[in-house]
Amino acid sequence: MTTHEAPLPRFHLAVPVDDLAAARGFYGGVLGLAEGRSAERWVDWNLHGHQFVTHLAPRPAERAHNAVDGHEVPVPHFGLLLTIGEFHDLAGRLRDAGTEFVIEPYLRFAGEKGEQWTMFLLDPAGNALEFKAFADDSQVFAV
């Protein structure tokens, strides 16, 4: 599929990691992302059609948090919107891999606008990820 045929524009995101072998184990092994091009200091990953790159770099010193729905959400963070089935499959894979969640998978905003399943975790380099799933995609940007 070319960029012009994509149903949504694809993003490119590069994040620092302090150990490429650990990044390969997590992103390739645990998350199951296909590895693309790589060099001595970086690896491209196919993040559901998006170009995600792990670059060898020092770990960031501090992380900020915002209170959301009674949880301390790490900032910055990134992730994907999945189907509910994909979300629960991924949560199971993460649990099976012994992943420690920053925020365990749970249903946020139950019965309200924007109801969604969500979970937060850190990759081996400390980058925060959020995966979420909406039963109704029309609620993604609901106000």
Side-chain angles (χ1 to χ4, degrees):
M1 176 183 313
T2 68
T3 303
H4 301 291
E5 296 168 336
L8 291 173
R10 290 178 281 174
F11 69 78
H12 166 85
L13 176 66
V15 299
V17 298
D18 56 0
D19 182 333
L20 283 178
R24 279 187 165 103
F26 179 75
Y27 288 104
V30 176
L31 295 186
L33 304 184
E35 184 173 330
R37 293 172 306 213
S38 65
E40 185 179 321
R41 300 189 54 85
W42 57 269
V43 178
D44 277 350
W45 300 99
N46 181 345
L47 184 66
H48 287 249
H50 302 284
Q51 187 184 38
F52 173 69
V53 186
T54 49
H55 283 273
L56 196 56
R59 188 179 291 213
E62 288 188 37
R63 177 174 315 284
H65 293 84
N66 279 334
V68 177
D69 196 31
H71 296 278
E72 290 297 309
V73 171
V75 177
H77 64 263
F78 70 95
L80 289 174
L81 302 178
L82 304 170
T83 66
I84 290 177
E86 291 169 330
F87 176 90
H88 290 293
D89 289 346
L90 178 58
R93 280 201 322 273
L94 291 165
R95 283 190 178 107
D96 290 347
T99 302
E100 289 186 36
F101 292 95
V102 174
I103 300 174
E104 291 278 339
Y106 80 103
L107 184 62
R108 173 192 280 174
F109 310 129
E112 300 175 26
K113 283 186 179 180
E115 179 179 291
Q116 61 192 263
W117 285 94
T118 188
M119 61 180 148
F120 286 83
L121 55 130
L122 302 179
D123 76 2
N127 295 300
L129 292 88
E130 177 185 19
F131 295 96
K132 57 173 69 178
F134 291 80
D136 179 356
D137 275 346
S138 72
Q139 293 294 298
V140 171
F141 297 107
V143 294

